């Protein structure tokens, strides 16, 4: 009966075993996963835009090739995540409709504009850096298909972060103007990157249950702290500073203290009032419409191969 199935599920979670698509799971667990995984997939797909926009203007053939590979990786991450979410019984069309109609959330970070080349460095270093800090623990998420998708995604993110750091390092070793460009960009991305981890623990309605289910392994604030501790020494190597007068090492805590973030801005971005919400959604909808012929062709091919033995 229901009680036995719930007990079996709880026992799997308690034993740090994985829940697989064919296992029974509480409807709320399924719903929480669809929510997080679809938002995550959307973030990867929308996240292609700020960098995709720079491919034609990358300053060298090498930078162009790297950027193309990175944006392509992001498309791949979105596809693994949509596939993993589909194992929970939601369809790709349902998820995409929610994105295209503006109903679905995706990461706040992609609603900021990326007007300078140095932003390609900051996105790689800080945005992918935050993504890694958040996603490495997700490799151990209790839902099998999600955790397994995260393993490969994290490997690729790690390459992405290094390439971003290397863009900034090149600029910081360049002219005064290039150094200023790097610093100006870091100034803009620092706080939004910290907000990627989500609201403070006291205002995070989903955290407690997600941690009990071992979807999340650490709280938003724990991961944000870990990220700050990671990037401060990296900033020193680069020679950039962060725009936070309260940022300093706290010997007693063994961590860096940092200033309060502007959560009003975060909520405004989530409500659709960020710099680029409308732009991102319009571009995504246009890309989907322009891709209609590809979906049609794929469907026709699938139908044909289903009714013939061999093409
Ligand atoms: N933006 O109760 P919590 C990438 C929402 S990395 C927008 O704390 P939870 C790589 C949250 O959904 C970015 N919304 O929620 C890349 C919830 O609303 P809901 C993607 C946010 O789930 C790099 C409400 O606020 N990574 O794409 C944000 O326990 C470069 C209350 O929050 C992931 O999605 C936010 N920043 O914790 C690609 C990682 N924060 O759903 C291209 C997986 C919170 O109840 C270029 N996700 N909200 O309506 C997670 O780890 C979690 O979902 C959190 C939020 C940590 C994001």
């Amino acid at each position: 009966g229901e009680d036995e199935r719930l007990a079996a599920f709880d026992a799997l979670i308690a034993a740090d075993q994985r829940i697989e698509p064919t296992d029974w799971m509480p409807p709320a667990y399924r719903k929480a996963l669809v929510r997080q995984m679809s938002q995550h997939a959307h973030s990867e797909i929308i996240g292609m835009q700020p960098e995709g926009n720079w491919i034609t203007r990358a300053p060298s053939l090498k930078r162009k090739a790297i950027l193309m590979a990175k944006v392509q990786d992001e498309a791949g991450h979105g596809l693994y995540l949509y596939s993993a979410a589909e194992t929970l019984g939601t369809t790709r069309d349902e998820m995409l409709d929610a994105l295209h109609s503006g109903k679905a959330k995706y990461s706040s970070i992609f609603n900021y504009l990326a007007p300078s080349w140095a932003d390609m460095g900051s996105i790689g270093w800080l945005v992918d850096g935050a993504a890694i800090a958040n996603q490495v623990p997700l490799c151990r998420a209790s839902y099998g298909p999600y955790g397994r998708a995260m393993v490969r995604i994290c490997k690729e993110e790690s390459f992405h972060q290094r390439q971003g750091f290397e863009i900034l390092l090149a600029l910081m070793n360049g002219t005064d103007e290039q150094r200023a460009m790097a610093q100006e960009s870091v100034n803009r991305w620092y706080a939004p990157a910290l907000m990627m981890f989500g609201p403070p623990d006291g205002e995070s309605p989903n955290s407690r249950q997600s941690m009990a289910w071992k979807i999340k392994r650490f709280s938003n604030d724990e991961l944000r702290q870990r990220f700050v501790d990671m990037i401060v020494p990296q900033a020193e190597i680069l020679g950039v500073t962060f725009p936070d007068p309260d940022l300093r090492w706290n010997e007693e805590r063994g961590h860096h203290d940092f200033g309060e973030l502007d959560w009003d801005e975060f909520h405004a971005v989530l409500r659709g009032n960020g710099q680029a919400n409308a732009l991102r959604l319009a571009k995504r909808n246009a890309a989907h419409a322009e891709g209609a012929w590809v979906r049609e062709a794929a469907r026709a091919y699938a139908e044909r191969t289903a009714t013939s033995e061999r093409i």
Side-chain angles (χ1 to χ4, degrees):
E2 186 82 352
D3 287 353
E4 272 164 40
R5 289 187 303 180
L6 184 58
F9 171 86
D10 286 342
L12 280 175
I13 298 284
D16 255 332
Q17 300 281 317
R18 287 207 135 140
I19 308 300
E20 296 298 340
T22 51
D23 292 338
W24 182 87
M25 61 188 89
Y29 175 80
R30 186 185 299 274
K31 201 172 155 201
L33 282 167
V34 168
R35 177 186 65 80
Q36 176 166 329
M37 290 163 69
S38 63
Q39 287 175 5
H40 195 165
H42 299 329
S43 303
E44 297 283 356
I45 297 302
I46 297 288
M48 295 166 72
Q49 290 188 28
E51 291 168 306
N53 189 39
W54 270 96
I55 289 173
T56 56
R57 290 173 292 152
S60 68
L61 182 59
K62 180 182 121 184
R63 295 291 184 198
K64 195 185 292 251
I66 293 171
L67 203 54
M68 278 174 68
K70 181 180 192 285
V71 172
Q72 199 170 335
D73 286 350
E74 284 152 9
H77 298 174
L79 297 185
Y80 315 149
L81 287 164
Y82 284 128
S83 296
E86 281 181 309
T87 65
L88 291 158
T90 180
T91 67
R92 184 85 55 113
D93 283 346
E94 281 168 331
M95 291 185 272
L96 288 179
D97 284 348
L99 175 63
H100 296 151
S101 67
K103 242 176 54 194
K105 285 195 174 75
Y106 57 83
S107 183
S108 51
I109 194 75
F110 302 116
N111 291 314
Y112 292 84
L113 293 169
S116 110
W117 166 251
D119 293 341
M120 299 305 98
S122 296
I123 289 176
W125 177 41
L126 296 174
V127 175
D128 285 281
I132 294 169
N134 167 267
Q135 289 168 26
V136 165
L138 290 176
C139 295
R140 294 190 294 125
S142 55
Y143 188 56
Y146 193 30
R148 287 189 290 272
M150 292 319 303
V151 173
R152 175 155 173 191
I153 291 178
C154 284
K155 286 189 180 152
E156 293 179 350
E157 300 286 27
S158 161
F159 156 70
H160 294 170
Q161 193 198 17
R162 280 150 215 253
Q163 72 84 38
F165 185 87
E166 205 266 332
I167 287 176
L168 291 176
L169 194 62
L171 291 174
M172 292 306 289
N173 285 329
T175 63
D176 285 350
E177 205 181 347
Q178 287 172 318
R179 272 193 291 278
M181 187 200 266
Q183 181 63 59
E184 187 275 334
S185 170
V186 169
N187 288 347
R188 278 183 290 108
W189 290 94
Y190 170 75
L194 263 55
M195 291 183 202
M196 285 174 70
F197 295 92
D201 291 350
E203 291 152 43
S204 165
N206 301 301
S207 275
R208 227 173 58 95
Q209 185 60 71
S210 285
M211 287 174 72
W213 278 328
K214 298 184 182 171
I215 298 171
K216 283 168 85 158
R217 297 278 178 165
F218 299 97
S219 77
N220 298 357
D221 285 331
E222 281 170 333
L223 292 175
R224 191 170 7 253
Q225 178 71 65
R226 188 180 286 190
F227 178 61
V228 170
D229 290 339
M230 181 181 88
I231 58 177
V232 167
Q234 294 176 352
E236 277 164 21
I237 294 169
L238 283 174
V240 296
T241 58
F242 292 130
D244 178 358
D246 298 324
L247 181 61
R248 66 179 63 86
W249 177 249
N250 182 326
E251 189 65 51
E252 223 166 275
R253 292 202 307 122
H255 291 291
H256 294 86
D257 290 337
F258 54 96
E260 190 59 38
L261 293 161
D262 183 353
W263 294 108
D264 290 341
E265 175 180 309
F266 174 77
H267 290 294
V269 171
L270 259 57
R271 278 195 307 272
N273 300 326
Q275 292 173 339
N277 298 62
L279 177 69
R280 300 289 181 241
L281 215 54
K283 275 202 161 187
R284 175 88 279 280
N285 273 292
H288 191 68
E290 281 162 23
W293 68 271
V294 180
R295 291 188 296 279
E296 260 164 53
R299 208 173 293 123
Y301 181 76
E303 273 165 23
R304 199 171 51 152
T305 49
T307 54
S308 67
E309 288 187 11
R310 195 172 272 271
I311 299 292

